Amino acid sequence: VLARRFRPQTFDEVIGQEHVAGGLQNAINSGRVAHAYLFAGARGVGKTSMARILAKTLNCPSPRDNQPCHECDVCQSIAAGQDVDVLEIDGASNNSVDQVRDLREDCQYAPTQCTYKIYIIDEVHMLSTAAFNALLKILEEPPEHVKVFFATTEAHKVLPTIVWRCQRFEFRPISDKVIAEKLTEISKAEGIEVEAEAIASIARLANGGMRDAQSILDQMISFCGRKIADSDVLDAYGLVSGERIAELAKALGSLDYPAIIAAVDQY
């Protein structure tokens, strides 16, 4: 799917989160990388991708300008999710205290081939209170070879005792304009003809999430083939075009009741 094939592989490719990428690269450059990070923000804005890129950069034996080289075995195995030293854990399905205790025991062992053993815990807010308390031992006295990256869409549910021991980065919703530019780039790379209005509608539907936008584009390609019109997107998702909304707004402003009723009847 598009969201996997066009997943960011470097800091520069994480669209709309330049403030986070810049902060992490400065930390790497100055040798002040924290032992724990909390990436908070809406879904599909690059939190887990950023965590994976940071893991690759820290473990890459020959990074280039604070970016992973993507040529070594370490970078390739982390990108494929096969590196035994970089573990991605789903907090929703691994939320018990016993599972976190197992993780705490595992982190005591040195990494096999990487510099750091890194744990990326997605949707960390789903952990139980007991599991959070079990994590405190790792965050309070972490082994030198361990880094922990948390990602969450609901940061307010993470215990304050956890948050205070992490460096927190807020991921922003991505603007419709930036999403539309990226979708246009993807469409050209895939050889898909998409109307500019259709891309704008998809970007609006995504509500600030790049992954959601790519998933919608994927679905429209399945529906329409290699040519996608704005009317196709509007019909598929039950939307009204901007022109119709403008007409209705004009009718409301001028108190043109017949036009208002006609617009309502039509949709």
Side-chain angles (χ1 to χ4, degrees), residues 33-266:
V33 178
H35 67 278
Y37 287 98
L38 176 63
F39 296 154
R43 69 179 189 271
V45 294
K47 301 184 298 298
T48 308
S49 294
M50 189 74 81
R52 187 181 288 185
I53 294 166
L54 179 57
K56 286 190 293 185
T57 306
L58 292 177
N59 282 325
C60 179
S62 53
R64 302 168 183 171
D65 298 325
N66 296 322
Q67 301 269 17
C69 70
H70 293 121
E71 296 176 358
C72 64
D73 293 339
V74 171
C75 285
Q76 293 179 6
S77 62
I78 294 175
Q82 299 172 348
D83 196 293
V84 295
D85 294 326
V86 178
L87 303 180
E88 294 190 30
I89 302 167
D90 176 22
S93 56
N94 297 275
N95 57 6
S96 71
V97 63
D98 291 333
Q99 289 165 319
V100 175
R101 283 173 178 163
D102 291 341
L103 183 152
R104 192 172 65 186
E105 292 297 323
D106 178 72
C107 77
Q108 302 302 318
Y109 299 101
T112 303
Q113 65 174 347
C114 295
T115 305
Y116 296 102
K117 181 171 281 189
I118 295 176
Y119 299 93
I120 301 172
I121 305 180
D122 197 13
E123 299 301 340
V124 68
H125 65 272
M126 298 293 289
L127 296 183
S128 64
T129 301
F132 272 128
N133 290 331
L135 269 178
L136 282 177
K137 184 64 175 178
I138 300 176
L139 300 183
E140 288 175 342
E141 300 176 4
E144 292 184 2
H145 61 268
V146 169
K147 303 287 184 185
V148 185
F149 305 152
F150 299 127
T152 178
T153 55
E154 300 184 50
H156 62 281
K157 292 184 178 180
V158 181
L159 289 186
T161 50
I162 297 293
V163 176
W164 295 336
R165 288 168 171 82
C166 301
Q167 283 195 18
R168 176 170 174 170
F169 285 92
E170 293 289 342
F171 283 64
R172 303 166 182 163
I174 305 170
S175 69
D176 291 354
K177 179 182 178 181
V178 173
I179 291 177
E181 291 173 352
K182 184 63 177 180
L183 292 182
T184 301
E185 178 185 325
I186 292 174
S187 300
K188 290 179 180 178
E190 293 291 299
I192 306 298
E193 185 178 334
V194 188
E195 290 184 358
E197 295 80 3
I199 287 180
S201 295
I202 293 173
R204 180 159 53 95
L205 271 169
N207 197 29
M210 182 63 73
R211 185 181 62 222
D212 288 0
Q214 293 172 346
S215 297
I216 294 170
L217 179 59
D218 234 340
Q219 187 171 7
M220 293 310 304
I221 293 172
S222 299
F223 286 165
C224 307
R226 309 194 73 81
K227 287 188 177 183
I228 302 173
D230 186 36
S231 58
D232 297 324
V233 179
L234 300 179
D235 291 342
Y237 288 92
L239 299 178
V240 179
S241 67
E243 293 178 358
R244 295 296 184 185
I245 294 175
E247 291 175 2
L248 178 58
K250 183 179 179 180
L252 288 169
S254 60
L255 300 179
D256 187 347
Y257 299 113
I260 296 172
I261 293 172
V264 173
D265 286 343
Q266 186 175 2

Side-chain angles (χ1 to χ4, degrees), residues 16-29:
Q17 311 301 338
E18 290 79 10
H19 62 296
V20 178
L24 293 175
Q25 287 181 293
N26 288 337
I28 295 169
N29 190 49

